[in-house]
Structure formats: C-alpha cells, structure tokens
Amino acid sequence: MNAVKIYYTMLHLECACMWRKQLQCLQGLMFFCLSVVFLPFAVGSDLNILQAVGPGYMWIMAIFASLLTADSIFSIDNQSGFLEKTVSAPDCLTAYYFAKLTAYFIFSSVPVILLTPVLSLLYQLSIFTIIILSITLTLGTFILNLFTLLGSILTLPVNQRNNLVQLLILPMITPVLIIGTMASYFTEPNQLTFSYIYLLLAIFLVAMFLLPIASIYLLRCGNT
Amino acid sequence: MGITLIKSSMQVNSIAIKQLTYDYQDRLFERLDLIIESGSLVQITGKNGAGKSTLLKILAGILPIEPHSMFINDCNDRQVFALYQQRIRYIGHQPGCKAELTVDENLQYDSVIYNQMLPMNLVDHLTHWQLNHYQHNLVQYLSYGQKRKVSMLKLTCFPGQIWLLDEPYVGLDKAACEFLTKIINSHVQNQGIVILSTHQEIANFGLVAEKIINL
C-alpha cells in the first residue's frame, strides 16, 4: 500500500470517529454562532460600530471556537493506548499526523468558515469584506490547527484535560491573529489587504513545512 | 550495504540489549544485559513497578533509548531497527483500539498501520476470539475482555515475527486463554519471538518459557 492510500484510509476512519462525536464538534460552532449573534445586543445595533468591529471580532471568535476542543485531539488516543500502537509502527506516523490534521480541520474549522458569510449578513458587511474574511479565516485556522496539533502533542505527558494547550498556543498565533484582522478591516479592494493576505500565505507555507516535521518528531520520541 | 538485500525478507534472529541504564522517575535498570533469540518464549517477571511494561515499551521502540544499547541481529543500524519495528505486534495494558469505531473499522485501521491487507477469512479470525457477532458493533459498547480480544486480533490477522505482550491473559475468558496459548506455542515453533510480562505462572496456561527475566 502506498502512502496516499494509507492516508486516505486513515482520514476516512478519523472522520468517522469525529462524526460519532458530533456534540463535541458542535461545541465550537455553537460558541461561534452565539458570540457573533449576541454582539449587537451588547454594543447596540448601530451599523457603523458593527461594521467597524465585526470582522475583527468574528476573526477572534473563530480562532477561539477552533481552539475549544484542542486538548482532546491526541489525548483520547493516548489514554486508549492507540497512540502507543501507532508509534510502535513508525512508518505510518506521518500519514497518521496528516489524517489527524485534516480531520480536525474539517470538523473544527470548516463549519465555522462556512458559517462566516451567513453570519456576516447580521452586520451587513460588504461583499468584499466577506470574501476577504473567508479567505483569511481559511488560512488562519489552518495555521492555527498546525500549532494546535503541536501544542496537544507537547501537553500529552501532563495527562490531564486542561487549558494548557490554549495557553501554549495563543502567544504563538498572536501574529497570525493581528495580520488576519488587519486584512479584513477594509471594505473595498486595497493594496494593503492583499499584502496582508500574502503575509498570511507566507506564514502558512512556512508553518506547513516546519510544524509537521516538529510534531511527527515529537510523536516519534515517545511523548506518551 | 547488505541491508538493502535483506530488506523485505529480513528475519530477526536475535534482539540484544547491552548495558542499558534507564530512568523513569526512579532508576529502573542499571546496566541491563539481555539476549533474545528467535524461536523463543521469554517471560518477564518482577514486582509491581519493577519496569516490566517499561522494558516491553523499550523493546517496541515506544520509549526511546540510546542508540548504542539495542542490537538487532548484532547490528544497531537505524534502518535495521525500522525493519524490526515493522515486525512488532505490541499489546500494552490498554487495548489500543478506537472506541468510536466498530471492530471492523478498527481492523481496517490496523491493516494500514501494519501495512498488510485484511485476511480473506476474517470471519474465521473473529470466530476464534468469539467476536463474530460483534463485527459491526462500536468498540465503546464492548466489555473490557472483548476490547482486549479486539486488540489480540492483530496477532492472527496481521502476522508479525515479534510479539510483545503486556499481561496478555488479563481479562480474557477461558476459551480465549486457551486459544492464546495455542497461537503463542505455534508462533514460537515457527521461529517467532514472544516476549510476555506476567505475574502468573505461565505453566498454568500450558506455556514453557525458555528464558525468564526477573527484574
């Protein structure tokens, strides 16, 4: 069996796992929906304020929403002894890592990204802002997920469900957060918007290259 | 150089640990030496906390050790170690199956982990472990003993030369214990290596250990 086929089989099974834990995955989505819907109640229905605050606010809430279930990514496998089994067959660790990454992205971030345009209508954001928001969020949450996986591997030996992962990751992704929110503040096409997006893309490419190497190495080193 | 030649058909003839010192909170092993040859059944005994599970995890490559203290076929090359790891079937304290997947899906996962196709006569394998009625049940609803059996399935479904079993008889019913004894004996006869840790007298199960490592 070649690597791609191994990856697809693992992805399929990981997605089946996530699908059977729907309630946990819905947690992030619910959090995102509620926090976005409730903002006008807090700051008033003045469209000027909402349009000024909205994109950045949605960005931050989307990031928090995808962080909510972060500590369970590898800890369930660790407690059930599944991780040990995977580590003792080291050829498949790379496929396992990428299957986990993709499944986590699909179930924690994609629903949030898909809901963003719909919820943006509440703040009457311009079409351009919505498009930029979706693009930056896709890149941003993917970078975030790369860091989340690294963080959840690092916190495995602690063996307790706590918010250590979030504490560890938030400082690391603050630059991404700043760049992402800056990019989505403009209401019409602007030179600066694209330079922010390129910057995000650059971070994405660097993270996509470096973080899997670090994470797989940590997994292999017997962090269990 | 010669490694590429023996790649696919490499047979593990001996596993040797030389002068291993290992700390896990306390010092567990001090200059431990051991040699295990193919076609042998090795029992690891020792009191609680003596490091039985740790030794098995070291042998499985789950806990990393210094590269010059473990030798496979008198050779401590990384490539040889990777080939050795492909032949390991490790069963730890935890069953090691995914609770959200069915028995069948867990086997599919194992088949990609061990890079072997699912056997054609899968139902026979399931019947040996009395799991034939549970093929499409979620593992989370099975009992502890049944979960152990699901993890034992990989011994027969995906053959590997080295079996590392941590307290294998715990939680198994009488029929399963007898079947486990039978497959361990035939595996040892076929030049396999079985290393198991247990407190119980394995003679009671009908096994004869060629070597007992007392930690």
Side-chain angles (χ1 to χ4, degrees):
Chain A
M1 271 188 270
N2 57 12
V4 178
K5 202 183 161 211
I6 291 177
Y7 165 75
Y8 275 117
T9 316
M10 283 189 173
L11 179 61
H12 171 79
L13 294 167
E14 287 294 340
C15 285
C17 269
M18 293 293 248
W19 181 247
R20 284 167 201 164
K21 292 187 291 191
Q22 288 148 338
L23 276 180
Q24 203 193 42
C25 303
L26 276 177
Q27 230 180 338
L29 200 62
M30 281 292 289
F31 172 79
F32 180 65
C33 277
L34 290 177
S35 52
V36 170
V37 170
F38 274 69
L39 180 71
F41 292 121
V43 300
S45 55
D46 186 353
L47 271 183
N48 287 326
I49 297 177
L50 285 180
Q51 280 168 358
V53 179
Y57 180 75
M58 286 175 85
W59 227 90
I60 294 174
M61 287 306 145
I63 292 280
F64 285 175
S66 11
L67 266 178
L68 266 187
T69 48
D71 43 7
S72 67
I73 309 175
F74 285 105
S75 70
I76 292 176
D77 279 1
N78 189 27
Q79 277 156 18
S80 70
F82 187 84
L83 198 59
E84 277 180 352
K85 185 165 79 178
T86 324
V87 172
S88 74
D91 290 351
C92 63
L93 262 185
T94 311
Y96 174 71
Y97 170 83
F98 281 106
K100 275 274 177 198
L101 177 70
T102 324
Y104 187 65
F105 180 69
I106 291 173
F107 281 86
S108 81
S109 304
V110 169
V112 170
I113 295 167
L114 289 179
L115 210 67
T116 306
V118 182
L119 287 176
S120 303
L121 297 177
L122 282 177
Y123 302 163
Q124 300 194 10
L125 299 181
S126 68
I127 302 283
F128 177 75
T129 314
I130 294 175
I131 293 171
I132 294 297
L133 198 58
S134 305
I135 295 172
T136 52
L137 263 184
T138 314
L139 284 173
T141 48
F142 200 88
I143 299 169
L144 174 77
N145 286 348
L146 283 163
F147 277 106
T148 315
L149 258 71
L150 181 69
S152 67
I153 295 169
L154 279 174
T155 51
L156 270 183
V158 182
N159 232 344
Q160 270 165 12
R161 302 207 61 193
N162 49 27
N163 298 326
L164 215 59
V165 185
Q166 284 88 335
L167 282 179
L168 195 72
I169 290 170
L170 277 175
M172 293 197 227
I173 52 143
T174 313
V176 179
L177 205 113
I178 294 170
I179 296 166
T181 44
M182 296 289 260
S184 31
Y185 263 119
F186 301 99
T187 45
E188 51 207 42
N190 186 315
Q191 195 64 45
L192 220 49
T193 316
F194 293 108
S195 53
Y196 283 131
I197 291 180
Y198 290 142
L199 209 53
L200 261 187
L201 201 64
I203 297 177
F204 167 75
L205 289 175
V206 173
M208 193 61 201
F209 175 66
L210 291 178
L211 290 180
I213 297 176
S215 311
I216 294 164
Y217 181 75
L218 277 173
L219 273 179
R220 188 163 293 165
C221 277
N223 233 279
T224 49
Chain B
M1 200 172 66
I3 293 157
T4 42
L5 289 174
I6 52 170
K7 205 160 200 169
S8 55
S9 59
M10 187 185 91
Q11 181 88 5
V12 176
N13 295 321
S14 71
I15 308 166
I17 282 184
K18 288 176 187 164
Q19 299 285 304
L20 173 71
T21 304
Y22 194 82
D23 298 301
Y24 189 86
Q25 291 176 341
D26 298 321
R27 175 145 296 183
L28 275 182
F29 313 126
E30 184 103 50
R31 294 166 184 270
L32 179 79
D33 283 301
L34 70 101
I35 292 176
I36 295 160
E37 271 157 8
S38 65
S40 65
L41 169 65
V42 179
Q43 184 188 7
I44 303 172
T45 59
K47 60 179 195 299
N48 294 127
K52 298 188 291 296
S53 302
T54 310
L55 183 57
L56 280 177
K57 281 184 190 175
I58 287 171
L59 286 168
I62 295 168
L63 294 176
I65 52 170
E66 287 166 27
H68 53 73
S69 42
M70 191 158 171
F71 294 79
I72 310 299
N73 295 351
D74 295 323
C75 165
N76 68 347
D77 189 276
R78 281 182 60 148
Q79 274 179 299
V80 174
F81 190 73
L83 292 170
Y84 157 77
Q85 276 198 299
Q86 283 172 4
R87 286 156 179 74
I88 286 177
R89 299 293 172 266
Y90 168 80
I91 295 177
H93 271 288
Q94 304 297 330
C97 22
K98 279 187 173 275
E100 299 88 5
L101 296 180
T102 64
V103 174
D104 197 45
E105 286 164 335
N106 265 296
L107 282 172
Q108 282 175 36
Y109 219 133
D110 281 356
S111 105
V112 288
I113 287 178
Y114 298 119
N115 208 354
Q116 289 181 22
M117 300 295 277
L118 272 174
M120 300 300 270
N121 55 345
L122 183 62
V123 182
D124 293 342
H125 288 283
L126 289 164
T127 315
H128 286 314
W129 296 103
Q130 301 118 36
L131 287 169
N132 42 340
H133 299 302
Y134 300 97
Q135 190 178 357
H136 300 292
N137 289 29
L138 288 184
V139 167
Q140 67 191 106
Y141 299 125
L142 299 182
S143 74
Y144 178 71
Q146 285 170 326
K147 282 180 196 161
R148 299 273 313 181
K149 287 180 189 173
V150 174
S151 70
M152 296 280 176
L153 266 172
K154 64 172 173 262
L155 298 179
T156 49
C157 289
F158 310 107
Q161 203 202 342
I162 300 132
W163 293 2
L164 304 173
L165 313 174
D166 200 346
E167 298 282 0
Y169 287 100
V170 170
L172 296 184
D173 56 23
K174 196 158 176 280
C177 284
E178 280 165 10
F179 182 66
L180 182 61
T181 305
K182 197 176 110 191
I183 57 172
I184 287 178
N185 277 329
S186 71
H187 187 65
V188 171
Q189 270 161 23
N190 294 326
Q191 294 302 302
I193 296 174
V194 180
I195 305 170
L196 56 88
S197 79
T198 177
H199 292 290
Q200 293 143 313
E201 284 293 325
I202 55 168
N204 294 348
F205 298 107
L207 292 175
V208 183
E210 290 179 18
K211 186 183 248 175
I212 294 178
I213 300 166
N214 198 1
L215 293 176

